[in-house]
Amino acid sequence: MNAFSNIQTAAPTEDVTADKRPTAIVIGTGFGGLAAAVRLSCKGYRVQVLEKQDQPGGRAAVWRRDGFTFDAGPTIVTAPYMLEELWEMCGRRFADDVTLVPVAPFYRIRYDDGSHFDYGKDQQANREQVKKISPSDLAGYEAFIKEAERCYQLGFLELGSIVYDSPSDLIRAIPNMLRLRGWRSIYAMVSSYMKHPKLRAAFTLQSLLIGGNPLSVTGIYALINALERRFGAHWAMGGTGSLVQGLVGLLDQRQVPIRYKAEVRRILVDQGRATGVELANGEHISSDIVVSNGDTAWTYRYLVDAKDRPHWTDSRIEDKKYSMGLFVWYFGTNKKYNDVPHHTMVLGPRYQELLNDIFKRKHLAEDFSLYLHRPTATDPGMAPDGCDTFYALSPVPHLDSGTDWKVEGEIYRQKIEKRLSETILPNLGSHIVTSQFTTPQDFHDRLLSYKGAGFGMEPLLLQSAYFRPHNRSEDVKGLFMVGAGTHPGAGVPGVLMSAKALEQVVPHVNSFS
């Protein structure tokens, strides 16, 4: 039984045949799709949402097992105002439906030698820890903080709000990209300020949270650091699923139906314009516009006929560079590990070399680094009394590695268990009472993610902004994109911004009359 098995979205009570509003189909119920459905409904569209799975959430789905609640995907809320805005549009208060609590520290970075860095909102505590690791890097850390703030101002607030619908939009963005020296990788940028390898790792690993190799992605993504410091890191009580439930509730209020187990097999195109969708069961549903919250590369490659996409050809899609895959092990223990914080980055013996194995060589290495999520540190209700809920996420190569995950999955899980037992979860094996894992193959087969990549196209400079798949399709009129695979990119703030971008590019409802 999953966490959403009792959710039913009410069908419209009005006479649909008499409703003359233009229609919109939203494919997928990830954060981007749900936010897009809310915004389109408020804009005046009659919206229908289609979901392949039997519950909402997409990569942010939830499942329950043996009394434990597991969030499948995102676990950190860094820009609450973007969610609050959706509630305000519907005349409601976000806080009435969802309880957010700050997490302190934001995360612990646990190094291979057993030392750690607790990074959080207390800037003096951060300075003291930097000084303890490398006194000579303290001034560089201060300079980096200022640079990250510039990246936030110019990169997030200004560049992030541009829809990049035409070459003129790119021209508008170029001055800021030059000011930020966007051609530098985040690793090169941080390295120009701090020399100690522990600090370089601590302030570059954040790009992995949006699918980017710190050695390759643009340094503009230092904005994540500023975003965290400005707004903090928050947890939604009850899990990320409570955010999904809240958004579903907004749609229910607005009489926007969600159809589950409704997989879209094809986007229907007539004379270059999207006219609706065909479901896997053969049913055709007509609409004035179509919005895909599915993986963008998958949407173009498998849902739009090749003859209808002269820009996003098969070869162009294949030639792009994609984010890493994700191996995620979900497990519950019959004891509590009270000294483990909510978020821990458990780094292995290698950093740059491991990143090259994952992103460049596409090689499943023997060693790994982990993001360990322990929500019960903040929210004990995520597990039975006296127990802990965890997931351990390991960045791995996407499916171009050729890894047979049916063979390697359990072997890899056992390696992670051994590593955690030897480090921060002593005697882990004897305390596990429930266990399940997911692999890049699952991302491909179940979530329809191209190459099994966890975050779509990698956010390289020439795969960001104007060079990322546009929110308004370059190929098909009336087709729009939201989610991690389009502008501005992955992460909860990014996909929510992609939904907001629709307001600048979808036709005004009066244009259909």
Side-chain angles (χ1 to χ4, degrees), residues 8-36:
Q8 297 292 329
T9 300
T13 56
E14 63 201 273
D15 182 359
V16 174
T17 60
D19 192 337
K20 302 304 181 183
R21 292 177 296 165
T23 54
I25 286 174
V26 176
I27 304 171
T29 59
F31 280 121
L34 293 173

Side-chain angles (χ1 to χ4, degrees), residues 67-357:
F68 295 83
T69 301
F70 296 95
D71 283 310
T75 59
I76 303 174
V77 178
T78 53
Y81 73 90
M82 301 187 72
L83 290 161
E84 292 167 355
E85 186 176 272
L86 295 170
W87 264 255
E88 290 170 3
M89 292 175 67
C90 299
R92 290 168 62 173
R93 293 179 67 250
F94 176 71
D96 289 341
D97 294 331
V98 180
T99 300
L100 285 186
V101 295
V103 176
F106 298 159
Y107 40 83
R108 170 172 292 172
I109 301 160
R110 197 266 185 193
Y111 298 105
D112 192 53
D113 64 5
S115 63
H116 67 262
F117 185 148
D118 282 347
Y119 190 73
K121 200 170 183 65
D122 185 338
Q123 291 307 304
Q124 186 54 40
N126 293 336
R127 293 184 186 99
E128 291 300 323
Q129 291 179 93
V130 168
K131 186 177 179 180
K132 183 177 179 181
I133 293 172
S134 177
S136 62
D137 279 326
L138 185 57
Y141 167 73
E142 300 284 5
F144 164 73
I145 292 299
K146 293 178 181 178
E147 180 76 356
E149 184 64 26
R150 291 181 69 242
C151 290
Y152 170 78
Q153 293 289 342
L154 300 178
F156 186 80
L157 295 181
E158 296 186 24
L159 296 182
S161 64
I162 299 175
V163 176
Y164 299 102
D165 200 39
S166 68
S168 62
D169 296 321
L170 172 62
I171 293 171
R172 286 170 54 203
I174 286 175
N176 278 358
M177 289 181 178
L178 293 175
R179 291 188 191 100
L180 296 172
R181 290 182 284 174
W183 58 87
R184 294 180 304 167
S185 72
I186 181 69
Y187 191 84
M189 184 248 240
V190 170
S191 296
S192 70
Y193 292 112
M194 290 173 273
K195 306 305 178 186
H196 199 287
K198 286 185 176 181
L199 297 177
R200 289 178 172 181
F203 294 103
T204 59
L205 57 78
Q206 293 82 3
S207 67
L208 289 164
L209 302 177
I210 56 169
N213 179 358
L215 306 181
S216 304
V217 302
T218 170
I220 295 173
Y221 286 107
L223 64 86
I224 298 173
N225 179 275
L227 199 66
E228 292 170 338
R229 287 185 294 101
R230 275 177 167 263
F231 301 105
H234 298 83
W235 169 253
M237 295 299 286
T240 309
S242 65
L243 297 174
V244 175
Q245 285 180 303
L247 288 166
V248 169
L250 295 183
L251 294 178
D252 185 44
Q253 171 195 309
R254 300 195 59 77
Q255 298 185 323
V256 174
I258 301 176
R259 285 184 59 179
Y260 300 106
K261 297 184 179 179
E263 179 179 352
V264 173
R265 180 166 62 190
R266 186 162 61 101
I267 294 171
L268 304 174
V269 179
D270 182 27
Q271 297 182 357
R273 177 176 291 279
T275 59
V277 300
E278 177 184 338
L279 301 185
N281 65 6
E283 178 184 354
H284 283 206
I285 306 176
S286 298
S287 66
D288 292 301
I289 66 170
V290 175
V291 177
S292 178
N293 182 217
D295 179 75
T296 306
W298 187 285
T299 296
Y300 280 121
R301 179 65 178 81
Y302 297 112
L303 302 188
V304 179
D305 287 345
K307 64 180 175 59
D308 295 316
R309 45 183 172 88
H311 181 82
W312 286 108
T313 61
D314 290 357
S315 59
R316 182 186 290 267
I317 294 168
E318 177 64 31
D319 288 345
K320 293 295 181 181
K321 292 182 172 60
Y322 291 85
S323 68
M324 73 285 196
L326 302 174
F327 182 96
V328 191
W329 175 34
Y330 307 90
F331 60 98
T333 62
N334 60 9
K335 68 164 287 185
K336 296 185 75 69
Y337 289 88
N338 291 316
D339 56 342
V340 177
H342 194 128
H343 306 290
T344 306
M345 310 300 178
V346 185
L347 301 188
R350 303 184 303 153
Y351 187 66
Q352 291 173 267
E353 297 87 350
L354 178 60
L355 291 171
N356 284 327
D357 277 343

Side-chain angles (χ1 to χ4, degrees), residues 452-469:
F455 303 88
M457 294 179 189
E458 188 181 358
L460 304 169
L461 180 62
L462 294 182
Q463 291 188 169
S464 298
Y466 179 81
F467 304 105
R468 204 163 182 82

